[in-house]
Amino acid sequence: MTEGEIRDNEWVLAMATTEPTSGSTVLPGVPPFTVDDLLTFPDDGNRYELFTGSLLVSPVPTPLHQRVTGRICIILGAAAPLELELLQTVTLRGSDVDLWIPDVVVVPAAATESVGLMFSPHDVRLAVEVVSPSSRAQDRLLKAGAYAAAGIPLYWRVETDEGPTIYVHELDGTTYRPPVAHKAGTVAELHAPFPVSFDPADLLSHRG
């Protein structure tokens, strides 16, 4: 099985976990959902995303997941030019039936002052997803396909159980090229959306 592929049962598991597992939350509306439907959902701690009207529900990020996203913001934020800004868990509205919440994005600083609730994918210079056991299928395939089709030029997929390893996807037309892997223990020399160099192992290391 090659990098990025998933087993059939892993895909089934991923799709089965896209609906709320708790009987305590009753969601308004009926599928297929729209972005307007999501705006009426309760604030119950879950992350709700849409892919062509299909609902994807993710739990609250684990502390380790938050450590990695925080390290990404610190490292990239220190290298970013003033006209670009790092943000976490913003909403991207791809269409009336598509809404995504990347773990980290790089956007123009000016857009953070003009955008209200949701960014357009055209504002995004880089989208980053930190893969967890429950999100492997969607981060490797579903989100990669959606982000490419929306024209997001760069997508980083961080596989924490691989050291971690950062898979860099660059847009080529309407699809991403095969990803370039940057493994822990080596310095990743990255040039887009701006030059930055770091060891992916730093994303999991303790401070100091």
Side-chain angles (χ1 to χ4, degrees), residues 2 25 27 40 43 50 77 84 138 148 167 169 185 187 199 207-208:
T2 61
T25 299
L27 301 178
T40 69
D43 184 7
L50 280 182
L84 295 178
Q138 53 260 34
Y167 291 91
H169 302 251
V187 176
D199 184 341
R207 290 192 303 169

Side-chain angles (χ1 to χ4, degrees), residues 111-129:
T112 65
E113 300 170 1
S114 60
V115 169
L117 181 61
M118 303 178 192
F119 284 89
S120 163
H122 299 296
D123 294 320
V124 179
R125 303 292 183 266
L126 165 68
V128 182
E129 296 288 358

Side-chain angles (χ1 to χ4, degrees), residues 21-42:
T21 57
S22 171
S24 61
T25 299
V26 178
L27 301 178
V30 294
F33 292 101
T34 67
V35 173
D36 288 340
D37 289 329
L38 258 63
L39 297 179
T40 69
F41 282 14

Side-chain angles (χ1 to χ4, degrees), residues 49-95:
E49 298 174 278
L50 280 182
F51 291 82
T52 61
S54 296
L55 189 63
L56 182 72
V57 184
S58 303
V60 175
T62 65
L64 187 62
H65 186 283
Q66 294 182 60
R67 175 192 288 181
V68 174
T69 57
R71 296 286 193 280
I72 291 170
C73 287
I74 291 171
I75 292 170
L76 296 191
L82 292 178
E83 63 269 19
L84 295 178
E85 190 160 347
L86 275 290
L87 298 175
Q88 296 187 56
T89 58
V90 302
T91 53
L92 306 181
R93 181 170 185 155
S95 73

